[in-house]
PDB file of all heavy atoms in Angstrom:
ATOM      1  N   PHE A   1    -117.280-136.810 -34.369  1.00  0.00           N
ATOM      2  CA  PHE A   1    -118.394-137.273 -33.694  1.00  0.00           C
ATOM      3  C   PHE A   1    -118.819-136.397 -32.514  1.00  0.00           C
ATOM      4  O   PHE A   1    -120.028-136.189 -32.309  1.00  0.00           O
ATOM      5  CB  PHE A   1    -118.099-138.731 -33.189  1.00  0.00           C
ATOM      6  CG  PHE A   1    -117.922-139.710 -34.283  1.00  0.00           C
ATOM      7  CD1 PHE A   1    -116.711-140.303 -34.447  1.00  0.00           C
ATOM      8  CD2 PHE A   1    -118.927-140.075 -35.006  1.00  0.00           C
ATOM      9  CE1 PHE A   1    -116.535-141.261 -35.493  1.00  0.00           C
ATOM     10  CE2 PHE A   1    -118.918-141.058 -35.999  1.00  0.00           C
ATOM     11  CZ  PHE A   1    -117.651-141.586 -36.139  1.00  0.00           C
ATOM     12  N   VAL A   2    -117.777-135.753 -31.781  1.00  0.00           N
ATOM     13  CA  VAL A   2    -118.121-134.937 -30.684  1.00  0.00           C
ATOM     14  C   VAL A   2    -118.774-133.718 -31.139  1.00  0.00           C
ATOM     15  O   VAL A   2    -119.755-133.244 -30.708  1.00  0.00           O
ATOM     16  CB  VAL A   2    -116.874-134.595 -29.991  1.00  0.00           C
ATOM     17  CG1 VAL A   2    -117.089-133.435 -28.910  1.00  0.00           C
ATOM     18  CG2 VAL A   2    -116.312-135.767 -29.230  1.00  0.00           C
ATOM     19  N   TYR A   3    -118.314-133.073 -32.329  1.00  0.00           N
ATOM     20  CA  TYR A   3    -119.009-131.904 -32.846  1.00  0.00           C
ATOM     21  C   TYR A   3    -120.356-132.128 -33.200  1.00  0.00           C
ATOM     22  O   TYR A   3    -121.344-131.373 -32.907  1.00  0.00           O
ATOM     23  CB  TYR A   3    -118.217-131.351 -34.007  1.00  0.00           C
ATOM     24  CG  TYR A   3    -118.785-130.034 -34.580  1.00  0.00           C
ATOM     25  CD1 TYR A   3    -118.602-128.840 -33.974  1.00  0.00           C
ATOM     26  CD2 TYR A   3    -119.809-130.130 -35.696  1.00  0.00           C
ATOM     27  CE1 TYR A   3    -119.246-127.696 -34.507  1.00  0.00           C
ATOM     28  CE2 TYR A   3    -120.304-128.971 -36.096  1.00  0.00           C
ATOM     29  CZ  TYR A   3    -120.087-127.754 -35.571  1.00  0.00           C
ATOM     30  OH  TYR A   3    -120.718-126.667 -35.972  1.00  0.00           O
ATOM     31  N   ALA A   4    -120.681-133.328 -33.821  1.00  0.00           N
ATOM     32  CA  ALA A   4    -122.006-133.639 -34.188  1.00  0.00           C
ATOM     33  C   ALA A   4    -122.867-133.736 -33.020  1.00  0.00           C
ATOM     34  O   ALA A   4    -124.073-133.291 -33.000  1.00  0.00           O
ATOM     35  CB  ALA A   4    -122.007-134.916 -35.052  1.00  0.00           C
ATOM     36  N   SER A   5    -122.459-134.501 -32.014  1.00  0.00           N
ATOM     37  CA  SER A   5    -123.336-134.644 -30.942  1.00  0.00           C
ATOM     38  C   SER A   5    -123.450-133.297 -30.091  1.00  0.00           C
ATOM     39  O   SER A   5    -124.592-133.140 -29.541  1.00  0.00           O
ATOM     40  CB  SER A   5    -122.632-135.750 -29.910  1.00  0.00           C
ATOM     41  OG  SER A   5    -121.328-135.288 -29.495  1.00  0.00           O
ATOM     42  N   LEU A   6    -122.463-132.513 -30.083  1.00  0.00           N
ATOM     43  CA  LEU A   6    -122.589-131.344 -29.325  1.00  0.00           C
ATOM     44  C   LEU A   6    -123.596-130.368 -30.053  1.00  0.00           C
ATOM     45  O   LEU A   6    -124.423-129.736 -29.419  1.00  0.00           O
ATOM     46  CB  LEU A   6    -121.230-130.564 -29.380  1.00  0.00           C
ATOM     47  CG  LEU A   6    -120.170-131.030 -28.242  1.00  0.00           C
ATOM     48  CD1 LEU A   6    -118.847-130.432 -28.560  1.00  0.00           C
ATOM     49  CD2 LEU A   6    -120.649-130.517 -26.905  1.00  0.00           C
ATOM     50  N   ALA A   7    -123.513-130.306 -31.295  1.00  0.00           N
ATOM     51  CA  ALA A   7    -124.472-129.448 -32.148  1.00  0.00           C
ATOM     52  C   ALA A   7    -125.832-129.865 -31.917  1.00  0.00           C
ATOM     53  O   ALA A   7    -126.729-129.073 -31.677  1.00  0.00           O
ATOM     54  CB  ALA A   7    -124.038-129.487 -33.578  1.00  0.00           C
ATOM     55  N   LEU A   8    -126.140-131.208 -31.929  1.00  0.00           N
ATOM     56  CA  LEU A   8    -127.480-131.640 -31.658  1.00  0.00           C
ATOM     57  C   LEU A   8    -127.921-131.414 -30.228  1.00  0.00           C
ATOM     58  O   LEU A   8    -129.040-130.920 -29.989  1.00  0.00           O
ATOM     59  CB  LEU A   8    -127.510-133.233 -31.890  1.00  0.00           C
ATOM     60  CG  LEU A   8    -127.453-133.640 -33.389  1.00  0.00           C
ATOM     61  CD1 LEU A   8    -127.394-135.188 -33.430  1.00  0.00           C
ATOM     62  CD2 LEU A   8    -128.561-133.039 -34.226  1.00  0.00           C
ATOM     63  N   TYR A   9    -126.960-131.602 -29.290  1.00  0.00           N
ATOM     64  CA  TYR A   9    -127.293-131.341 -27.898  1.00  0.00           C
ATOM     65  C   TYR A   9    -127.602-129.798 -27.641  1.00  0.00           C
ATOM     66  O   TYR A   9    -128.720-129.490 -27.060  1.00  0.00           O
ATOM     67  CB  TYR A   9    -126.089-131.804 -27.133  1.00  0.00           C
ATOM     68  CG  TYR A   9    -126.329-131.595 -25.567  1.00  0.00           C
ATOM     69  CD1 TYR A   9    -127.184-132.379 -24.760  1.00  0.00           C
ATOM     70  CD2 TYR A   9    -125.692-130.546 -24.988  1.00  0.00           C
ATOM     71  CE1 TYR A   9    -127.376-132.114 -23.437  1.00  0.00           C
ATOM     72  CE2 TYR A   9    -125.818-130.306 -23.599  1.00  0.00           C
ATOM     73  CZ  TYR A   9    -126.587-131.129 -22.839  1.00  0.00           C
ATOM     74  OH  TYR A   9    -126.777-130.937 -21.526  1.00  0.00           O
ATOM     75  N   TYR A  10    -126.750-128.931 -28.091  1.00  0.00           N
ATOM     76  CA  TYR A  10    -126.992-127.637 -27.851  1.00  0.00           C
ATOM     77  C   TYR A  10    -128.133-126.916 -28.581  1.00  0.00           C
ATOM     78  O   TYR A  10    -128.835-126.123 -28.062  1.00  0.00           O
ATOM     79  CB  TYR A  10    -125.627-126.801 -28.142  1.00  0.00           C
ATOM     80  CG  TYR A  10    -124.536-127.022 -27.195  1.00  0.00           C
ATOM     81  CD1 TYR A  10    -123.208-127.205 -27.587  1.00  0.00           C
ATOM     82  CD2 TYR A  10    -124.810-127.143 -25.832  1.00  0.00           C
ATOM     83  CE1 TYR A  10    -122.215-127.457 -26.727  1.00  0.00           C
ATOM     84  CE2 TYR A  10    -123.758-127.376 -24.952  1.00  0.00           C
ATOM     85  CZ  TYR A  10    -122.439-127.522 -25.331  1.00  0.00           C
ATOM     86  OH  TYR A  10    -121.538-127.819 -24.490  1.00  0.00           O
ATOM     87  N   LEU A  11    -128.450-127.505 -29.799  1.00  0.00           N
ATOM     88  CA  LEU A  11    -129.597-127.057 -30.509  1.00  0.00           C
ATOM     89  C   LEU A  11    -130.879-127.370 -29.601  1.00  0.00           C
ATOM     90  O   LEU A  11    -131.861-126.652 -29.643  1.00  0.00           O
ATOM     91  CB  LEU A  11    -129.699-127.784 -31.810  1.00  0.00           C
ATOM     92  CG  LEU A  11    -129.107-127.187 -32.996  1.00  0.00           C
ATOM     93  CD1 LEU A  11    -129.033-128.068 -34.179  1.00  0.00           C
ATOM     94  CD2 LEU A  11    -129.841-125.772 -33.369  1.00  0.00           C
ATOM     95  N   ALA A  12    -130.868-128.507 -28.932  1.00  0.00           N
ATOM     96  CA  ALA A  12    -131.986-128.874 -28.111  1.00  0.00           C
ATOM     97  C   ALA A  12    -132.179-128.255 -26.812  1.00  0.00           C
ATOM     98  O   ALA A  12    -133.173-128.188 -26.202  1.00  0.00           O
ATOM     99  CB  ALA A  12    -131.969-130.452 -27.956  1.00  0.00           C
ATOM    100  N   THR A  13    -130.913-127.923 -26.154  1.00  0.00           N
ATOM    101  CA  THR A  13    -130.971-127.403 -24.814  1.00  0.00           C
ATOM    102  C   THR A  13    -130.759-125.961 -24.608  1.00  0.00           C
ATOM    103  O   THR A  13    -131.080-125.358 -23.532  1.00  0.00           O
ATOM    104  CB  THR A  13    -129.956-128.218 -23.967  1.00  0.00           C
ATOM    105  OG1 THR A  13    -128.622-127.912 -24.580  1.00  0.00           O
ATOM    106  CG2 THR A  13    -130.185-129.658 -23.978  1.00  0.00           C
ATOM    107  N   LEU A  14    -130.169-125.191 -25.550  1.00  0.00           N
ATOM    108  CA  LEU A  14    -129.814-123.820 -25.291  1.00  0.00           C
ATOM    109  C   LEU A  14    -131.061-122.961 -25.115  1.00  0.00           C
ATOM    110  O   LEU A  14    -130.875-121.800 -24.627  1.00  0.00           O
ATOM    111  CB  LEU A  14    -128.965-123.194 -26.420  1.00  0.00           C
ATOM    112  CG  LEU A  14    -127.416-123.674 -26.434  1.00  0.00           C
ATOM    113  CD1 LEU A  14    -126.746-123.075 -27.584  1.00  0.00           C
ATOM    114  CD2 LEU A  14    -126.849-123.295 -25.106  1.00  0.00           C
ATOM    115  N   ARG A  15    -132.181-123.337 -25.562  1.00  0.00           N
ATOM    116  CA  ARG A  15    -133.389-122.493 -25.427  1.00  0.00           C
ATOM    117  C   ARG A  15    -134.040-122.698 -23.988  1.00  0.00           C
ATOM    118  O   ARG A  15    -134.993-121.933 -23.677  1.00  0.00           O
ATOM    119  CB  ARG A  15    -134.456-122.883 -26.445  1.00  0.00           C
ATOM    120  CG  ARG A  15    -133.944-122.541 -27.882  1.00  0.00           C
ATOM    121  CD  ARG A  15    -135.064-122.822 -28.923  1.00  0.00           C
ATOM    122  NE  ARG A  15    -134.617-122.413 -30.289  1.00  0.00           N
ATOM    123  CZ  ARG A  15    -134.594-121.311 -30.837  1.00  0.00           C
ATOM    124  NH1 ARG A  15    -135.199-120.273 -30.095  1.00  0.00           N
ATOM    125  NH2 ARG A  15    -134.206-121.044 -31.958  1.00  0.00           N
ATOM    126  N   ILE A  16    -133.481-123.617 -23.160  1.00  0.00           N
ATOM    127  CA  ILE A  16    -133.992-123.793 -21.831  1.00  0.00           C
ATOM    128  C   ILE A  16    -133.478-122.683 -20.987  1.00  0.00           C
ATOM    129  O   ILE A  16    -132.292-122.372 -20.886  1.00  0.00           O
ATOM    130  CB  ILE A  16    -133.602-125.141 -21.295  1.00  0.00           C
ATOM    131  CG1 ILE A  16    -134.122-126.292 -22.227  1.00  0.00           C
ATOM    132  CG2 ILE A  16    -134.053-125.347 -19.853  1.00  0.00           C
ATOM    133  CD1 ILE A  16    -133.588-127.647 -21.869  1.00  0.00           C
ATOM    134  N   SER A  17    -134.536-122.036 -20.308  1.00  0.00           N
ATOM    135  CA  SER A  17    -134.188-120.868 -19.457  1.00  0.00           C
ATOM    136  C   SER A  17    -133.526-121.265 -18.009  1.00  0.00           C
ATOM    137  O   SER A  17    -134.134-122.121 -17.361  1.00  0.00           O
ATOM    138  CB  SER A  17    -135.340-120.052 -19.175  1.00  0.00           C
ATOM    139  OG  SER A  17    -135.128-119.072 -18.154  1.00  0.00           O
ATOM    140  N   ALA A  18    -132.387-120.886 -17.613  1.00  0.00           N
ATOM    141  CA  ALA A  18    -131.815-121.136 -16.406  1.00  0.00           C
ATOM    142  C   ALA A  18    -132.713-120.623 -15.286  1.00  0.00           C
ATOM    143  O   ALA A  18    -132.814-121.111 -14.143  1.00  0.00           O
ATOM    144  CB  ALA A  18    -130.384-120.561 -16.332  1.00  0.00           C
ATOM    145  N   GLU A  19    -133.332-119.464 -15.562  1.00  0.00           N
ATOM    146  CA  GLU A  19    -134.129-118.797 -14.534  1.00  0.00           C
ATOM    147  C   GLU A  19    -135.346-119.667 -14.217  1.00  0.00           C
ATOM    148  O   GLU A  19    -135.807-119.752 -13.201  1.00  0.00           O
ATOM    149  CB  GLU A  19    -134.622-117.408 -14.991  1.00  0.00           C
ATOM    150  CG  GLU A  19    -133.486-116.403 -14.852  1.00  0.00           C
ATOM    151  CD  GLU A  19    -132.511-116.521 -16.174  1.00  0.00           C
ATOM    152  OE1 GLU A  19    -132.827-117.262 -17.119  1.00  0.00           O
ATOM    153  OE2 GLU A  19    -131.412-115.939 -16.077  1.00  0.00           O
ATOM    154  N   ALA A  20    -135.806-120.196 -15.284  1.00  0.00           N
ATOM    155  CA  ALA A  20    -137.122-121.086 -15.084  1.00  0.00           C
ATOM    156  C   ALA A  20    -136.768-122.367 -14.303  1.00  0.00           C
ATOM    157  O   ALA A  20    -137.510-122.800 -13.519  1.00  0.00           O
ATOM    158  CB  ALA A  20    -137.594-121.553 -16.518  1.00  0.00           C
ATOM    159  N   ILE A  21    -135.568-122.888 -14.627  1.00  0.00           N
ATOM    160  CA  ILE A  21    -135.100-124.054 -13.836  1.00  0.00           C
ATOM    161  C   ILE A  21    -134.988-123.641 -12.390  1.00  0.00           C
ATOM    162  O   ILE A  21    -135.375-124.467 -11.406  1.00  0.00           O
ATOM    163  CB  ILE A  21    -133.827-124.687 -14.415  1.00  0.00           C
ATOM    164  CG1 ILE A  21    -134.111-125.217 -15.747  1.00  0.00           C
ATOM    165  CG2 ILE A  21    -133.220-125.704 -13.498  1.00  0.00           C
ATOM    166  CD1 ILE A  21    -132.691-125.690 -16.490  1.00  0.00           C
ATOM    167  N   SER A  22    -134.301-122.647 -12.095  1.00  0.00           N
ATOM    168  CA  SER A  22    -134.153-122.156 -10.664  1.00  0.00           C
ATOM    169  C   SER A  22    -135.387-121.908 -10.029  1.00  0.00           C
ATOM    170  O   SER A  22    -135.599-122.262  -8.845  1.00  0.00           O
ATOM    171  CB  SER A  22    -133.287-120.897 -10.674  1.00  0.00           C
ATOM    172  OG  SER A  22    -132.065-121.039 -11.335  1.00  0.00           O
ATOM    173  N   ARG A  23    -136.380-121.305 -10.665  1.00  0.00           N
ATOM    174  CA  ARG A  23    -137.723-120.949 -10.084  1.00  0.00           C
ATOM    175  C   ARG A  23    -138.435-122.301  -9.826  1.00  0.00           C
ATOM    176  O   ARG A  23    -139.058-122.412  -8.758  1.00  0.00           O
ATOM    177  CB  ARG A  23    -138.546-120.237 -11.204  1.00  0.00           C
ATOM    178  CG  ARG A  23    -139.710-119.581 -10.640  1.00  0.00           C
ATOM    179  CD  ARG A  23    -140.452-118.741 -11.637  1.00  0.00           C
ATOM    180  NE  ARG A  23    -139.594-117.906 -12.332  1.00  0.00           N
ATOM    181  CZ  ARG A  23    -139.403-118.065 -13.688  1.00  0.00           C
ATOM    182  NH1 ARG A  23    -139.989-119.039 -14.313  1.00  0.00           N
ATOM    183  NH2 ARG A  23    -138.684-117.216 -14.358  1.00  0.00           N
ATOM    184  N   PHE A  24    -138.309-123.225 -10.711  1.00  0.00           N
ATOM    185  CA  PHE A  24    -138.971-124.573 -10.408  1.00  0.00           C
ATOM    186  C   PHE A  24    -138.430-125.193  -9.214  1.00  0.00           C
ATOM    187  O   PHE A  24    -139.077-125.828  -8.364  1.00  0.00           O
ATOM    188  CB  PHE A  24    -138.861-125.426 -11.646  1.00  0.00           C
ATOM    189  CG  PHE A  24    -139.532-126.754 -11.469  1.00  0.00           C
ATOM    190  CD1 PHE A  24    -140.879-126.872 -11.839  1.00  0.00           C
ATOM    191  CD2 PHE A  24    -138.821-127.888 -11.008  1.00  0.00           C
ATOM    192  CE1 PHE A  24    -141.478-128.164 -11.603  1.00  0.00           C
ATOM    193  CE2 PHE A  24    -139.410-129.136 -10.848  1.00  0.00           C
ATOM    194  CZ  PHE A  24    -140.757-129.305 -11.183  1.00  0.00           C
ATOM    195  N   MET A  25    -137.046-125.224  -9.177  1.00  0.00           N
ATOM    196  CA  MET A  25    -136.302-125.844  -7.958  1.00  0.00           C
ATOM    197  C   MET A  25    -136.802-125.227  -6.633  1.00  0.00           C
ATOM    198  O   MET A  25    -136.949-125.773  -5.646  1.00  0.00           O
ATOM    199  CB  MET A  25    -134.890-125.816  -8.134  1.00  0.00           C
ATOM    200  CG  MET A  25    -134.349-126.763  -9.392  1.00  0.00           C
ATOM    201  SD  MET A  25    -132.589-126.606  -9.605  1.00  0.00           S
ATOM    202  CE  MET A  25    -131.995-127.559  -8.206  1.00  0.00           C
ATOM    203  N   ASN A  26    -136.966-123.890  -6.695  1.00  0.00           N
ATOM    204  CA  ASN A  26    -137.239-123.167  -5.504  1.00  0.00           C
ATOM    205  C   ASN A  26    -138.672-123.413  -5.096  1.00  0.00           C
ATOM    206  O   ASN A  26    -138.920-123.407  -3.921  1.00  0.00           O
ATOM    207  CB  ASN A  26    -136.972-121.623  -5.705  1.00  0.00           C
ATOM    208  CG  ASN A  26    -137.111-120.837  -4.507  1.00  0.00           C
ATOM    209  OD1 ASN A  26    -136.853-121.322  -3.483  1.00  0.00           O
ATOM    210  ND2 ASN A  26    -137.603-119.510  -4.619  1.00  0.00           N
ATOM    211  N   GLN A  27    -139.576-123.613  -6.039  1.00  0.00           N
ATOM    212  CA  GLN A  27    -140.942-123.766  -5.805  1.00  0.00           C
ATOM    213  C   GLN A  27    -141.331-125.201  -5.438  1.00  0.00           C
ATOM    214  O   GLN A  27    -142.417-125.559  -4.876  1.00  0.00           O
ATOM    215  CB  GLN A  27    -141.897-123.276  -6.985  1.00  0.00           C
ATOM    216  CG  GLN A  27    -141.784-121.902  -7.221  1.00  0.00           C
ATOM    217  CD  GLN A  27    -142.453-121.428  -8.489  1.00  0.00           C
ATOM    218  OE1 GLN A  27    -142.908-122.291  -9.305  1.00  0.00           O
ATOM    219  NE2 GLN A  27    -142.620-120.059  -8.644  1.00  0.00           N
ATOM    220  N   HIS A  28    -140.392-126.178  -5.859  1.00  0.00           N
ATOM    221  CA  HIS A  28    -140.673-127.581  -5.621  1.00  0.00           C
ATOM    222  C   HIS A  28    -139.438-128.244  -4.879  1.00  0.00           C
ATOM    223  O   HIS A  28    -138.715-128.919  -5.554  1.00  0.00           O
ATOM    224  CB  HIS A  28    -140.890-128.391  -6.961  1.00  0.00           C
ATOM    225  CG  HIS A  28    -142.091-127.781  -7.707  1.00  0.00           C
ATOM    226  ND1 HIS A  28    -141.992-126.695  -8.500  1.00  0.00           N
ATOM    227  CD2 HIS A  28    -143.416-128.244  -7.784  1.00  0.00           C
ATOM    228  CE1 HIS A  28    -143.182-126.523  -9.150  1.00  0.00           C
ATOM    229  NE2 HIS A  28    -144.018-127.275  -8.609  1.00  0.00           N
ATOM    230  N   PRO A  29    -139.286-127.970  -3.559  1.00  0.00           N
ATOM    231  CA  PRO A  29    -138.075-128.455  -2.911  1.00  0.00           C
ATOM    232  C   PRO A  29    -138.143-129.979  -2.873  1.00  0.00           C
ATOM    233  O   PRO A  29    -136.938-130.540  -2.614  1.00  0.00           O
ATOM    234  CB  PRO A  29    -138.193-127.794  -1.512  1.00  0.00           C
ATOM    235  CG  PRO A  29    -139.660-127.476  -1.345  1.00  0.00           C
ATOM    236  CD  PRO A  29    -140.125-127.086  -2.773  1.00  0.00           C
ATOM    237  N   VAL A  30    -139.227-130.661  -2.979  1.00  0.00           N
ATOM    238  CA  VAL A  30    -139.277-132.042  -2.921  1.00  0.00           C
ATOM    239  C   VAL A  30    -138.509-132.694  -3.984  1.00  0.00           C
ATOM    240  O   VAL A  30    -137.828-133.689  -3.936  1.00  0.00           O
ATOM    241  CB  VAL A  30    -140.694-132.529  -2.934  1.00  0.00           C
ATOM    242  CG1 VAL A  30    -140.847-134.066  -3.003  1.00  0.00           C
ATOM    243  CG2 VAL A  30    -141.443-132.109  -1.770  1.00  0.00           C
ATOM    244  N   TYR A  31    -138.576-132.027  -5.196  1.00  0.00           N
ATOM    245  CA  TYR A  31    -137.870-132.553  -6.410  1.00  0.00           C
ATOM    246  C   TYR A  31    -136.500-131.938  -6.597  1.00  0.00           C
ATOM    247  O   TYR A  31    -135.875-132.300  -7.650  1.00  0.00           O
ATOM    248  CB  TYR A  31    -138.705-132.221  -7.692  1.00  0.00           C
ATOM    249  CG  TYR A  31    -140.119-132.719  -7.504  1.00  0.00           C
ATOM    250  CD1 TYR A  31    -141.229-131.806  -7.611  1.00  0.00           C
ATOM    251  CD2 TYR A  31    -140.477-134.142  -7.398  1.00  0.00           C
ATOM    252  CE1 TYR A  31    -142.592-132.184  -7.551  1.00  0.00           C
ATOM    253  CE2 TYR A  31    -141.747-134.512  -7.284  1.00  0.00           C
ATOM    254  CZ  TYR A  31    -142.789-133.581  -7.350  1.00  0.00           C
ATOM    255  OH  TYR A  31    -144.201-134.022  -7.209  1.00  0.00           O
ATOM    256  N   GLU A  32    -136.137-131.012  -5.782  1.00  0.00           N
ATOM    257  CA  GLU A  32    -134.845-130.209  -5.925  1.00  0.00           C
ATOM    258  C   GLU A  32    -133.607-131.078  -6.165  1.00  0.00           C
ATOM    259  O   GLU A  32    -132.969-130.959  -7.101  1.00  0.00           O
ATOM    260  CB  GLU A  32    -134.713-129.286  -4.771  1.00  0.00           C
ATOM    261  CG  GLU A  32    -133.513-128.465  -4.898  1.00  0.00           C
ATOM    262  CD  GLU A  32    -133.137-127.824  -3.485  1.00  0.00           C
ATOM    263  OE1 GLU A  32    -133.159-128.601  -2.487  1.00  0.00           O
ATOM    264  OE2 GLU A  32    -132.715-126.677  -3.482  1.00  0.00           O
ATOM    265  N   VAL A  33    -133.400-132.055  -5.225  1.00  0.00           N
ATOM    266  CA  VAL A  33    -132.214-132.890  -5.310  1.00  0.00           C
ATOM    267  C   VAL A  33    -132.172-133.759  -6.488  1.00  0.00           C
ATOM    268  O   VAL A  33    -131.110-133.892  -7.193  1.00  0.00           O
ATOM    269  CB  VAL A  33    -132.049-133.671  -3.970  1.00  0.00           C
ATOM    270  CG1 VAL A  33    -130.883-134.579  -4.144  1.00  0.00           C
ATOM    271  CG2 VAL A  33    -131.828-132.781  -2.805  1.00  0.00           C
ATOM    272  N   GLY A  34    -133.299-134.418  -6.774  1.00  0.00           N
ATOM    273  CA  GLY A  34    -133.352-135.201  -8.017  1.00  0.00           C
ATOM    274  C   GLY A  34    -133.171-134.451  -9.230  1.00  0.00           C
ATOM    275  O   GLY A  34    -132.460-134.868 -10.222  1.00  0.00           O
ATOM    276  N   LEU A  35    -133.812-133.267  -9.346  1.00  0.00           N
ATOM    277  CA  LEU A  35    -133.572-132.490 -10.598  1.00  0.00           C
ATOM    278  C   LEU A  35    -132.244-131.995 -10.677  1.00  0.00           C
ATOM    279  O   LEU A  35    -131.553-131.967 -11.771  1.00  0.00           O
ATOM    280  CB  LEU A  35    -134.570-131.210 -10.507  1.00  0.00           C
ATOM    281  CG  LEU A  35    -134.478-130.283 -11.748  1.00  0.00           C
ATOM    282  CD1 LEU A  35    -134.739-130.922 -12.966  1.00  0.00           C
ATOM    283  CD2 LEU A  35    -135.429-129.106 -11.471  1.00  0.00           C
TER     284      LEU A  35
END
């Protein structure tokens, strides 16, 4: 079950850019803590 859930999760999230997340947090400090 863990492998199945991990595969689905990583398929959905590995394309998300860490740089884009960091940039958004830097540009929107109001949402930073919640994000």
